[in-house]
Each structure stands twice: as structure tokens, then as C-alpha cells.
Amino acid sequence: MNLGTLIVGPREHVVALAELDDTAVAELGPLLRDAARVVETLCRPEQTYMCMWSHGRDARKHLHIAVQPVTAEVGARYGGLRSEQLQARMLADGHEPDVREVEQFCRRARELFLVITDSSGERGDGVPR
């Protein structure tokens, strides 16, 4: 996936949203919102995709939710493809962002997550202060 894509996944082994307990469900909404805010702030995308995957080779493997910024540049690089067609092409191309750029993005994202969670009155782990 492109630079700025964040993957959200449960700590426990879960393969479907339907398996999440009430605590995990209560934490997931704010976490996805905050991840989208980080992506929107740092990447300034035309669109932010959120999609769930759990595929393994022959069965469900582990729940992952991708929070993916789609900028005009990304769209142009892939001939204007959108949605699952864009993601499929990106995965098939196997292009990986530069490691230094990923590390820099991760530092900035961590800092912004701290700011966002501090302003929302949470410690950063979904627990109110």
C-alpha cells in the first residue's frame, strides 16, 4: 500500500468484526476515527479509504482494517483507478515506499496520535484519564 496507510488490528486473535467483544467494539470506533484524522492531517488525501481484510490462503486469518490515504498523485500513478481496483493494482505491483519515508511518517503519526488522544481525554489506549 502507499505511504500513509495505517493498519488497525485487534491485539487478540480475531478474524471477524462479529467476534469482537463489547470492550473492543467500544474502542474500535474512536481508534478508527483517530487513525483517519492522522491520515487526513499528514497526507491531505482526496479520499481516505477504510476497508477490512481477514483473508488467509484458505480461511480467515486475522482481522485488519486498512486506513488508506488516496491522494491525487496516487490516483494519477494508477491511471485513475479507485476503490478495490486501485488497492488490487497496488498490491499486485508490490511497490513499497522508501524505508526512510515510512520511518518519518511513523514518527509524525505517533506524535499526532498523542496530540489527538490527549485532546480527547484518553490516555492513548482507549482508557479515559
Side-chain angles (χ1 to χ4, degrees), residues 102-119:
V102 171
E103 290 170 348
Q104 181 182 16
F105 176 82
C106 289
R107 279 192 298 279
R108 294 174 62 207
R110 276 188 211 97
E111 292 168 2
L112 188 52
F113 265 112
L114 289 173
V115 169
I116 288 171
T117 56
D118 280 348
S119 67

Side-chain angles (χ1 to χ4, degrees), residues 20 39 52 66 71 73 86 111 121 123 129:
L20 295 175
V39 165
M52 183 192 78
T71 61
E73 176 188 348
L86 172 63
E111 292 168 2
R123 293 190 325 211
R129 289 182 192 245

